[in-house]
Amino acid sequence: MSENPNQQTLIDQLLRDRDAEYRRAAKAEQQLKELSDAKKMKATYEAKLAEKEEALQKRDKTIEDKDNLIAQLEQKLLYLERKMWGAMSEKRRIPDDPNQLKLDFEQLEMTPEEEETARKAIEEITDYKKVTVKEHKKRVPVRQKLPESLPRVEEHIYPDGYKGHEDEWVLFDETETSEHLEFNPAELYVRVTIRHKGMRKDTKEILTAPVQNEPIAKSYASASLLTDLMVGKYVDHLPFYRQVQMYKRLGVSIPPSTIESWFHDVADLMRPAYYRLRELVLATDYVQSDETTVPIINNEKHQTVKGYLWLVRSVVNNLIFFSYNEGSRGQKVVIQLFKDYQGAIQTDGYAGYNILEKFKGITTLCCWAHARRYFDRALTHDKARAEHALAQIGMLYDVERMADDQNMDTIQRVELRKRLAYPIIRAFEKWCICEQDNVLPKSPIGKAIGYFLNYSRQLARYTMDGRYLPDNNLIENSVRPVALGRKNYLFCGNHEAAEDAAVIYSLMGCCKAVGVDFKEWMNYFLNHVHEYDNDYSKDLAELLPHSLKERAIILESPKK
């Protein structure tokens, strides 16, 4: 049976349509697959771009952190170079621009009265400096004459060929004289004490000469030897092992363990007087406090650890003591030191002293030298602002110089401070507040401004009393013996040795503060300390350097 042509045509058309449809479906499926792959590729590319963007941001942040670190290290390097090789003096610099001595009152939120008061104070100080500043004269080296108190040993030298009073020679009365300082090495000798026995004829009683009190019982160490050892270490900064070598050259070998034992014994002898000294210092109403590090050997860890010696100085009676409390620098030491204290305490702004603000009867003062130091370090970072700040602080010291030049008493000084210094401090505070938002907080100038604003009240309080000092340089000078000593003897053997060192440093510091010869005082102390063993009516304060000087038992040491 033959197929219908029309039917065949229809089948062919349907097959072609089906084939076309299949092709379109396959093409659409291919396009859909390609579209899906494109989305995946896009997501992949976007993820990679995000990763690269994040990496770039991290790199930029790392670069910024590195730049900040480099800037900080450069500041530290400049400070260390100046500390090692440059002058560490923080005397006021004269600004390049004379206008920096003035305050821009238009930018400060001050009342007209405050503005006028500050302006008058600045003008008065500036006028005073113009009148009193003297031209610096260069010192010409002059050979010092040798002290008249030294013994003179004459040696006579005659012309060549002169052998006596021959007839051919005529000696003139006129001579030429020169002096040379000679030195005899130290001399050791043995003091032999012989106690004689005797009998009274009337009583038939046999008596023996009494035993003399020696500083350390059953020891051959005399007061003079102990004095030389202790002053050698705690004044001249000579470690004991070096002194052992020095004594060997003099013909005596002293075991280091023996000297170490003597050191603890001497500290024990001084300890009662040390506690009496602490009472006298804390009984005054104005003290300065500071702390310094001292390396301590930790036997468990077999290494040195950082300990702290606390220092308290009475400005009123010029007494000083060191305190060691297991090497801690925490607030607990501050509380223990000043729990019963009443008066003003001047510090360097260490946060551990902030607890004192909560103590009733205590007034806290801060140090302008530390505030000035921050601005001094910022000179290379922001010269204009730093010089302006230094100029304002410099005027506060000009006020002190005015008071010194005019020999003002404490009442006159406090009135001068209130009239001149306090308005300048108020204006300077306003300037720092205005500039704080214009500088980076962690930059050197930002830290300087932040330090001042944090302690502005404590810095201004020195104007309340004419006895108060604008800075605590006195106590910082008292810390220097410890700083010099630790560079030489390097560490203390344990906590007990550090406590004993604090006792000796305290008494040596008092000698220096009142101008008493260290050896003369210590020799007297060791020879007389046992007189106070059983007589409790005597006051140990009588043995302190200032007391012996007041009673003319020990004279003031010669000026160096």
Side-chain angles (χ1 to χ4, degrees):
M1 181 178 176
S2 59
E3 296 181 357
N4 189 350
N6 293 332
Q7 187 177 4
Q8 185 64 36
T9 303
L10 180 61
I11 291 172
D12 293 340
Q13 184 63 36
L14 288 172
L15 289 173
R16 285 194 297 271
D17 292 343
R18 185 179 179 84
D19 184 62
E21 189 67 31
Y22 174 78
R23 289 171 182 252
R24 285 195 297 271
K27 187 177 181 180
E29 186 178 354
Q30 180 66 27
Q31 290 177 347
L32 182 62
K33 184 179 179 181
E34 291 177 356
L35 183 61
S36 177
D37 291 342
K39 288 182 178 179
K40 289 182 180 179
M41 291 175 64
K42 181 181 178 182
T44 303
Y45 289 143
E46 287 178 349
K48 290 182 177 180
L49 287 173
E51 289 178 1
K52 289 184 178 180
E53 185 68 25
E54 185 178 356
L56 288 173
Q57 290 179 356
K58 287 183 178 179
R59 188 189 69 176
D60 292 341
K61 189 175 186 304
T62 303
I63 292 174
E64 183 180 356
D65 292 341
K66 287 183 178 178
D67 291 341
N68 293 334
L69 179 61
I70 290 172
Q72 292 176 6
L73 292 175
E74 286 178 346
Q75 290 292 330
K76 290 182 180 179
L77 180 61
L78 289 173
Y79 171 74
L80 292 174
E81 285 180 346
R82 180 182 167 201
K83 190 177 182 69
M84 285 295 295
W85 312 111
M88 285 301 292
S89 174
E90 295 165 2
K91 295 181 180 179
R92 301 178 301 284
R93 293 172 171 81
I94 300 176
D96 296 335
D97 183 4
N99 293 323
Q100 290 182 11
L101 289 171
K102 303 177 182 178
L103 286 170
D104 187 1
F105 293 105
E106 295 180 359
Q107 296 182 6
L108 306 182
E109 296 180 359
M110 299 181 66
T111 63
E113 292 78 9
E114 290 177 332
E115 178 182 336
E116 185 63 23
T117 303
R119 196 188 304 277
K120 287 182 178 179
I122 294 173
E123 290 177 355
E124 183 173 344
I125 295 172
T126 305
D127 293 340
Y128 182 82
K129 289 175 65 176
K130 291 179 180 177
V131 175
T132 59
V133 171
K134 298 179 181 179
E135 184 180 354
H136 176 71
K137 294 183 179 179
K138 186 177 181 180
R139 293 182 179 180
V140 179
V142 178
R143 183 173 179 176
Q144 297 277 338
K145 188 177 181 180
L146 296 177
E148 295 293 338
S149 58
L150 294 178
R152 260 65 176 177
V153 177
E154 294 182 353
E155 64 173 3
H156 294 267
I157 301 176
Y158 295 93
D160 292 339
Y162 179 80
K163 297 181 179 180
H165 296 284
E166 287 87 353
D167 295 337
E168 63 269 17
W169 280 92
V170 176
L171 289 180
F172 301 112
D173 293 334
E174 181 182 356
T175 59
E176 294 185 4
T177 305
S178 61
E179 293 186 342
H180 301 85
L181 190 62
E182 296 286 346
F183 174 75
N184 282 327
E187 180 185 10
L188 290 173
Y189 67 94
V190 179
R191 172 170 53 89
V192 181
T193 302
I194 302 173
R195 297 165 54 216
H196 291 273
K197 293 183 179 181
M199 183 182 71
R200 295 181 62 90
K201 293 182 179 180
D202 53 350
T203 61
K204 308 297 182 181
E205 181 183 4
I206 299 175
L207 299 175
T208 304
V211 178
Q212 300 296 315
N213 283 329
E214 298 293 338
I216 302 175
K218 300 179 181 180
S219 171
Y220 62 80
S222 66
S224 60
L225 179 64
L226 295 172
T227 295
D228 191 64
L229 286 167
M230 300 306 135
V231 172
K233 180 170 182 178
Y234 294 101
V235 176
D236 300 327
H237 320 297
L238 293 172
F240 284 142
Y241 78 88
R242 291 187 191 171
Q243 297 191 62
V244 168
Q245 296 171 353
M246 294 168 64
Y247 281 113
K248 282 183 179 179
R249 292 196 294 269
L250 294 175
V252 176
S253 179
I254 305 176
S257 58
T258 301
I259 293 182
E260 195 68 27
S261 176
W262 291 345
F263 155 64
H264 292 294
D265 291 337
V266 169
D268 289 338
L269 289 173
M270 290 184 171
R271 191 165 276 108
Y274 164 78
Y275 286 122
R276 183 71 180 104
L277 171 64
R278 289 183 57 145
E279 292 177 357
L280 294 175
V281 172
L282 296 176
T284 60
D285 61 349
Y286 175 34
V287 298
Q288 295 178 337
S289 181
D290 199 4
E291 67 285 335
T292 187
T293 59
V294 55
I296 309 294
I297 290 182
N298 187 317
N299 293 322
E300 295 179 358
K301 297 181 179 179
H302 301 287
Q303 64 182 13
T304 58
V305 296
K306 184 184 292 186
Y308 285 90
L309 275 175
W310 294 74
L311 177 61
V312 181
R313 178 166 187 160
S314 170
V315 183
V316 177
N317 55 18
N318 210 15
L319 297 179
I320 184 174
F321 74 84
F322 288 81
S323 177
Y324 182 82
N325 191 315
E326 293 295 323
S328 173
R329 201 193 183 198
Q331 284 188 348
K332 65 177 183 180
V333 182
V334 178
I335 296 172
Q336 185 174 351
L337 273 176
F338 301 110
K339 59 182 179 180
D340 298 322
Y341 181 76
Q342 298 287 297
I345 301 176
Q346 192 165 31
T347 68
D348 58 3
Y350 166 53
Y353 295 105
N354 292 344
I355 189 69
L356 296 176
E357 288 282 342
K358 301 178 181 179
F359 283 31
K360 187 177 180 180
I362 290 182
T363 302
T364 56
L365 309 173
C366 268
C367 172
W368 275 102
H370 281 78
R372 182 176 62 189
R373 193 167 300 159
Y374 277 92
F375 288 104
D376 190 75
R377 293 173 185 170
L379 278 170
T380 56
H381 173 262
D382 192 332
K383 185 177 181 180
R385 288 189 177 93
E387 284 190 341
H388 174 82
L390 291 172
Q392 306 308 309
I393 298 174
M395 285 191 286
L396 302 180
Y397 283 88
D398 290 332
V399 174
E400 298 305 304
R401 187 176 295 106
M402 291 173 62
D404 293 337
D405 292 344
Q406 299 174 27
N407 297 319
M408 292 185 177
D409 56 26
T410 56
I411 297 177
Q412 294 171 325
R413 186 182 292 268
V414 74
E415 292 298 326
L416 184 69
R417 287 174 176 174
K418 289 180 179 178
R419 184 167 59 86
L420 299 182
Y422 190 70
I424 294 174
I425 296 174
R426 290 290 305 274
F428 182 57
E429 181 185 28
K430 302 282 187 181
W431 178 83
C432 287
I433 293 173
C434 293
E435 294 296 329
Q436 189 176 29
D437 295 333
N438 300 327
V439 299
L440 295 174
K442 293 186 178 181
S443 64
I445 191 66
K447 291 180 180 179
I449 292 176
Y451 178 89
F452 170 76
L453 292 178
N454 287 338
Y455 297 103
S456 57
R457 288 190 305 166
Q458 292 90 331
L459 286 167
R461 285 175 183 161
Y462 84 97
T463 60
M464 297 166 49
D465 193 318
R467 299 174 304 158
Y468 297 162
L469 302 176
D471 53 52
N472 61 353
N473 286 342
L474 271 179
I475 199 165
E476 288 203 342
N477 292 337
S478 302
V479 172
R480 290 179 181 176
V482 181
L484 292 172
R486 65 173 173 244
K487 290 182 180 180
N488 291 333
Y489 56 73
L490 302 180
F491 53 80
C492 291
N494 49 48
H495 292 301
E496 290 74 18
E499 290 179 3
D500 292 343
V503 172
I504 299 178
Y505 269 130
S506 299
L507 278 303
M508 295 295 101
C510 288
C511 288
K512 182 179 179 181
V514 299
V516 165
D517 182 74
F518 302 99
K519 288 188 175 182
E520 186 179 358
W521 172 81
M522 192 166 186
N523 195 63
Y524 182 91
F525 176 88
L526 293 176
N527 280 318
H528 294 82
V529 64
H530 287 297
E531 298 174 5
Y532 293 74
D533 289 347
N534 300 316
D535 189 351
Y536 298 105
S537 63
K538 291 186 176 181
D539 187 359
L540 282 168
E542 296 173 357
L543 288 176
L544 296 178
H546 73 285
S547 178
L548 295 177
K549 180 182 176 182
E550 289 173 357
R551 291 179 289 152
I553 296 176
I554 293 180
L555 301 179
E556 185 174 359
S557 60
K559 300 296 182 182
K560 294 183 179 180

